[in-house]
Amino acid sequence: MLVVLSKGISLRDKELVRVYLQDRGFSMREQQFGEDAIIGATGKGTADIRELSLLPGVERVAATSKPYELASRETKPEDTIVTVGPVKIGGSRISIIAGPCAVESREQILETAALVRESGAVMLRGGAYKPRTSPYAFQGLGMQGLEYMKAAGEANGMPIVTEVVSPELAVQMRDLTDMFQIGARNMQNFELLKKVGSLGKPVLLKRGSSATIEEWLLSAEYLLASGTRDVVLCERGIRTFETYTRNTLDISAIPVVKDLSHLPVIVDPSHAVGIRAKVSPAGLAAIAAGADGLTVEVHPRPDEALSDGPQSLYPEQFERLMRDIEALAPVVGKELLRTPRPYQGPGVPERAVARGAGSERIAFSGESGAFAEQALMRAFGEEAPQLHVASFAAVFDAVLDGSAAAGVVPVENSLTGSIHENYDLFLRYPDIAIVGELKLRIVHCLIACEGASIDSIRMVRSHNQGFEQCREFLDQHLWRHEPYNNTATAVASILREDGTDLTTIAAIAGEAAARAHGLKVLKTGIETNPSNYTRFVIISRRNGGDRAPVPPSLGSQPPTKASLVFSVPDTPGSLFACLQILSEKGINLSKLESRPIQGQPWRYLFYVDVSLPQTEGIFEAVMEALKTKTEDFRFLGAYRASL
Ligand code: PEP
Ligand code: MN
């Protein structure tokens, strides 16, 4: 049982709570958990929870049904997000850790770090102290190895995670590592857990190869109870009767643990399967099952590796895996985390210097729970200060007048096509540019009040896009449709209603909107096709210098894509002439759409997305050439493409 104390509890009241618990047979331990001071009461005691929660200075009492309390989701319903330097693990992001099994030399770790970073890993792994089954196998380079690893991490802008094997070493390693790893063999080394937990640093806790989920969570409890808040769980395969693979990856542990605990869960497919060719499929399966990330062994020359060569990926295999994860991420409603790295190549625009998340407000149209809010949080982080406005035009206004540093607007849906209103706004706001994009999977729910059912509904509210994307479901019901500016506003409107029977009104929006407004989901997944994605762009003021943040997830990566709008003279071959310029320079066209020009019947503007050539100067020359063949030419921005 956990007794959460009020912030300003007096010493006297705290003593009263202690005496109360002591008299009823509990043993107690006081600790800080995040912002809260908590008394953990264990033992065979019994207490009237209602009476206890009424004692002065008691904020609430959490009676957990599990033997672990701090690790339990009953105690803390929201996901814990673990921060390791610029990297966040948990929530809606997928964070990939990669590196060799062991640090073998300064050159080897530097080379591997640069390779995995290039492919998109955000943290570097590597063992300096290797707990090997055989005493004759390579035991690691020790502190020297850790120093090499720290240097490799710093050179590539990656925090490091490394295994600690004894309480004494934990103290020596503290200032050199960003995150401690507790290996499978040490999961129940309780003295080690207590020492490492007390150092307060983030910890990656591997599951023991014969440990039950409950034992694993109890080990996490040791770490949390000793002082750290930042624990990431890592499933790495368990012993079964199967001998084909090194261990058996317990995929089902991922959803089970996500339910039982608020801690992030990542997967180590390398040690789970132990066979190089099986690592990527197992890693992808883990992401599909809800893992918050992976830790993967990669070696520049696996055949020469001093440990675990047969399960280490070649750099090309890792790069392929990263691309597959990026494509899979939106399917499970997540985004692959990218962090800024020290990039010094050609073609990086001034503004692409990553800035701290949330130093200024980011605007979106709608209220809490809107899909644009989810896109915003994915790009800028959950903590980024938000500015909610009432329309897409208001997002552009807010960015232009500086009341927001950036904005997030949808431009295209995979089922219903372009959101023309926003394309038209780009023409009306020439000082606004696109600086990033991201794709969000859209799952629509039918949302209503407590007491409502599908049969009681008479009217449904949503954004027009919501109606269009759920056409087949709506066609089965004779409901009146009421359009709203956005889906979350449609949900909120139900609560603002008076005089109408609330059980007759429903809204179509994402689950987050139901949660944000305390309403219930009557049916989920009502979109006509589950492959329903919306592409959002991040907009910012042109030449904004200071006021043009690039989201941390896009970091200082060079742009790979550009968006243009132009019109062409009303003569034969004029569009062809433009496309020919692109084709001759080998520039790939990923979108070409025509839109009527307002006020000029039967004249059209072309919306064009192209991939950016990586050689400096080519794109600039292409733009100059295009200007000579077009009438109205507008460059909307260059940014990093999302898959
Ligand atoms: C490792 O990650 O290097 C390792 C030894 O893993 P495990 O503890 O899961 O065997
Ligand atoms: Mn290994």
Side-chain angles (χ1 to χ4, degrees):
M1 182 168 62
L2 294 179
V3 183
V4 182
L5 305 176
S6 315
K7 296 255 160 359
I9 186 171
S10 67
L11 286 176
R12 194 172 152 271
D13 286 346
K14 198 190 278 184
E15 193 48 33
L16 282 177
V17 176
R18 289 183 152 277
V19 171
Y20 181 95
L21 290 166
Q22 203 163 15
D23 287 354
R24 283 157 185 79
F26 288 100
S27 356
M28 277 155 293
R29 191 189 161 99
E30 194 180 326
Q31 55 214 336
Q32 199 66 26
F33 190 49
E35 300 254 283
D36 297 323
I38 283 176
I39 295 182
T42 50
K44 292 205 165 53
T46 46
D48 179 339
I49 290 189
R50 220 167 45 90
E51 190 177 74
L52 176 58
S53 53
L54 290 175
L55 291 183
V58 173
E59 176 124 338
R60 69 192 154 84
V61 179
T64 59
S65 57
K66 306 287 183 312
Y68 42 87
E69 288 173 339
L70 299 174
S72 167
R73 210 181 261 285
E74 288 178 16
T75 314
K76 180 173 180 282
E78 69 280 7
D79 287 342
T80 283
I81 293 167
V82 168
T83 304
V84 192
V87 173
K88 286 190 171 9
I89 307 176
S92 62
R93 46 185 91 55
I94 293 171
S95 313
I96 306 295
I97 305 170
C101 177
V103 182
E104 298 168 0
S105 67
R106 190 182 150 76
E107 295 68 34
Q108 172 250 16
I109 191 71
L110 271 169
E111 184 182 0
T112 316
L115 286 167
V116 297
R117 184 59 163 146
E118 184 64 33
S119 300
V122 289
M123 272 184 77
L124 180 65
R125 62 145 288 143
Y129 292 91
K130 297 301 302 174
R132 304 300 298 278
T133 306
S134 160
Y136 306 117
F138 175 60
Q139 304 284 310
L141 298 183
M143 287 311 271
Q144 178 72 79
L146 185 51
E147 274 164 25
Y148 293 154
M149 194 175 166
K150 183 175 156 63
E154 277 171 3
N156 291 280
M158 303 163 95
I160 62 172
V161 52
T162 194
E163 179 161 355
V164 54
V165 291
S166 77
E168 301 73 45
L169 281 171
V171 179
Q172 290 180 40
M173 292 164 76
R174 174 174 46 188
D175 296 334
L176 286 171
T177 189
D178 300 294
M179 185 182 211
F180 284 114
Q181 176 170 315
I182 303 282
R185 290 155 194 82
N186 273 316
M187 188 202 85
Q188 284 189 313
N189 182 340
F190 301 116
E191 290 310 310
L192 178 64
L193 295 174
K194 283 193 253 177
K195 185 72 209 176
V196 170
S198 75
L199 299 178
K201 286 216 142 179
V203 185
L204 182 65
L205 176 65
K206 293 210 150 180
R207 179 180 181 182
S209 65
S210 301
T212 63
I213 288 175
E214 187 161 299
E215 287 164 342
W216 185 20
L217 290 173
L218 277 163
S219 291
E221 189 78 8
Y222 261 97
L223 290 166
L224 295 169
S226 314
T228 184
R229 300 184 51 219
D230 295 319
V231 176
V232 175
L233 299 164
C234 179
E235 158 63 38
R236 44 78 73 203
I238 51 174
R239 284 264 162 97
T240 67
F241 53 81
E242 179 54 64
T243 53
Y244 192 92
T245 49
R246 181 172 176 180
N247 290 288
T248 297
L249 175 58
D250 186 5
I251 283 277
S252 50
I254 304 163
V256 169
V257 171
K258 289 240 121 209
D259 213 34
L260 294 174
S261 177
H262 51 85
L263 297 172
V265 184
I266 70 163
V267 165
D268 173 348
S270 310
H271 291 89
V273 298
I275 307 167
R276 185 178 306 128
K278 313 289 181 277
V279 168
S280 297
L284 289 169
I287 298 296
D292 297 299
L294 301 179
T295 171
V296 186
E297 287 186 345
V298 181
H299 196 287
R301 288 163 295 281
D303 305 335
E304 296 169 17
L306 297 182
S307 67
D308 284 348
Q311 69 191 33
S312 299
L313 295 187
Y314 284 98
E316 310 79 73
Q317 287 177 305
F318 179 65
E319 197 197 340
R320 168 88 207 268
L321 172 63
M322 289 301 290
R323 277 191 275 123
D324 288 346
I325 294 170
E326 190 157 17
L328 178 60
V331 179
V332 286
K334 292 189 178 164
E335 183 83 8
L336 183 63
L337 177 74
R338 295 192 180 280
T339 53
R341 66 179 166 140
Y343 176 84
Q344 291 117 15
V348 186
E350 257 300 280
R351 62 161 189 283
V353 175
R355 307 192 24 166
S359 56
E360 292 176 78
R361 291 187 298 178
I362 316 295
F364 73 95
S365 163
E367 333 203 354
S368 299
F371 289 115
E373 184 193 44
Q374 288 172 43
L376 183 162
M377 292 195 296
R378 238 169 254 180
F380 292 90
E382 283 86 351
E383 312 78 13
Q386 304 178 352
L387 177 66
H388 302 198
V389 297
S391 66
F392 295 143
V395 176
F396 281 73
D397 279 334
V399 174
L400 191 65
D401 71 19
S403 46
V408 178
V409 291
V411 287
E412 193 170 355
N413 175 265
S414 60
L415 296 184
T416 56
S418 291
I419 292 144
H420 293 125
E421 183 181 346
N422 282 322
Y423 275 107
D424 292 342
L425 283 166
F426 278 112
L427 298 185
R428 278 181 37 209
Y429 290 79
D431 290 331
I432 299 288
I434 301 178
V435 296
E437 72 167 358
L438 86 167
K439 290 188 188 117
L440 189 75
R441 181 171 173 204
I442 305 292
V443 177
H444 283 297
C445 303
L446 188 71
I447 297 165
C449 287
E450 213 47 63
S453 69
I454 298 246
D455 294 332
S456 68
I457 302 300
R458 297 286 171 269
M459 176 209 295
V460 60
R461 297 172 175 173
S462 192
H463 185 270
N464 275 330
Q465 285 279 331
F467 292 131
E468 271 184 61
Q469 291 164 25
C470 303
R471 180 67 43 217
E472 275 183 21
F473 172 78
L474 289 169
D475 283 349
Q476 298 162 23
H477 303 278
L478 293 170
W479 296 333
R480 193 148 59 81
H481 296 179
E482 251 185 36
Y484 273 73
N485 258 358
N486 71 79
T487 54
T489 309
V491 174
S493 76
I494 300 180
L495 293 168
R496 296 187 194 123
E497 197 69 34
D498 65 341
T500 318
D501 175 2
L502 290 190
T503 62
T504 62
I505 315 172
I508 292 177
E511 197 194 337
R515 238 182 295 122
H517 299 283
L519 293 182
K520 134 177 135 167
V521 171
L522 290 183
K523 194 166 168 48
T524 187
I526 57 170
E527 64 279 7
T528 303
N529 187 324
S531 288
N532 185 19
Y533 299 89
T534 293
R535 188 159 77 89
F536 287 85
V537 291
I538 295 151
I539 59 171
S540 169
R541 214 155 49 153
R542 238 179 244 280
N543 307 324
D546 238 353
R547 303 189 61 81
V550 165
S553 64
L554 305 174
S556 53
Q557 308 247 10
T560 54
K561 182 174 175 183
S563 295
L564 319 169
V565 183
F566 54 73
S567 62
V568 292
D570 191 11
T571 53
S574 58
L575 176 62
F576 175 76
C578 295
L579 300 184
Q580 195 172 27
I581 294 172
L582 298 173
S583 159
E584 276 169 2
K585 295 288 182 214
I587 291 180
N588 189 36
L589 198 66
S590 53
K591 173 172 178 146
L592 174 64
E593 184 172 348
S594 64
R595 281 278 294 149
I597 302 179
Q598 288 172 18
Q600 297 184 41
W602 324 125
R603 306 268 344 258
Y604 298 89
L605 277 174
F606 294 95
Y607 285 89
V608 177
D609 286 351
V610 295
S611 61
L612 279 184
Q614 291 308 305
T615 320
E616 213 177 346
I618 293 192
F619 188 64
E620 291 69 17
V622 165
M623 300 252 283
E624 287 313 311
L626 277 177
K627 282 181 195 161
T628 65
K629 302 280 178 202
T630 53
E631 285 184 339
D632 187 9
F633 181 88
R634 202 69 74 69
F635 172 65
L636 298 187
Y639 49 93
R640 183 107 190 144
S642 89
L643 279 181

